[in-house]
Amino acid sequence: QMQLVESGGGSVQAGESLRLSCVASGYTYSSYCMGWFRQAPGKEREGIAAIDVDGSTRYADSVKGRFTISRDNAKNTLYLQMNSLKPEDTAMYYCAADPSFAFCIVAGLGINDHINWGQGTQVTVSS
């Protein structure tokens, strides 16, 4: 059974950095499109970064240039390096595995019914 476990969240000041990790198990990690979503209180869950099996990446405009997604297939681990954090980055961050590859291919970094989710890790950025 697929399992995704996030870690690395926390509380930081604006301008600081955090690195999120997501350890995957129970499936062939290297064969899946992977990504990160976030959900702020009262808002919809939004896709912010995707990485395909060939390492190609896509980002939402809101994080482009500040966040970097990467994957280590040998460790079954997905990362999100977040720099220059802003208060508006405050949200629960979720790791996602998409066997359909729609998240990695279709414009908009949208949610689809095939996505498997982690439990989330909270990121809070204060000004």
Side-chain angles (χ1 to χ4, degrees), residues 16-105:
E16 294 184 343
S17 299
L18 280 174
R19 188 175 82 155
L20 306 184
S21 299
C22 170
V23 178
S25 61
Y27 71 106
T28 307
Y29 168 80
S30 60
S31 299
Y32 276 56
C33 161
M34 299 293 297
W36 290 95
F37 285 75
R38 68 184 181 186
Q39 188 168 17
K43 295 189 176 181
E44 294 186 351
R45 191 170 297 190
E46 61 170 344
I48 57 171
I51 185 165
D52 210 332
V53 294
D54 63 358
S56 58
T57 57
R58 298 171 63 199
Y59 297 93
D61 289 342
S62 57
V63 305
K64 197 174 295 183
R66 300 187 299 122
F67 291 9
T68 302
I69 188 172
S70 61
R71 63 192 299 166
D72 185 335
N73 290 339
K75 295 182 178 180
N76 284 5
T77 303
L78 180 72
Y79 301 101
L80 185 68
Q81 177 66 44
M82 305 186 295
N83 298 329
S84 302
L85 283 161
K86 305 175 180 180
E88 51 264 44
D89 294 318
T90 295
M92 185 71 78
Y93 284 71
Y94 296 92
C95 175
D98 183 3
S100 77
F101 286 83
F103 182 62
C104 284
I105 296 172

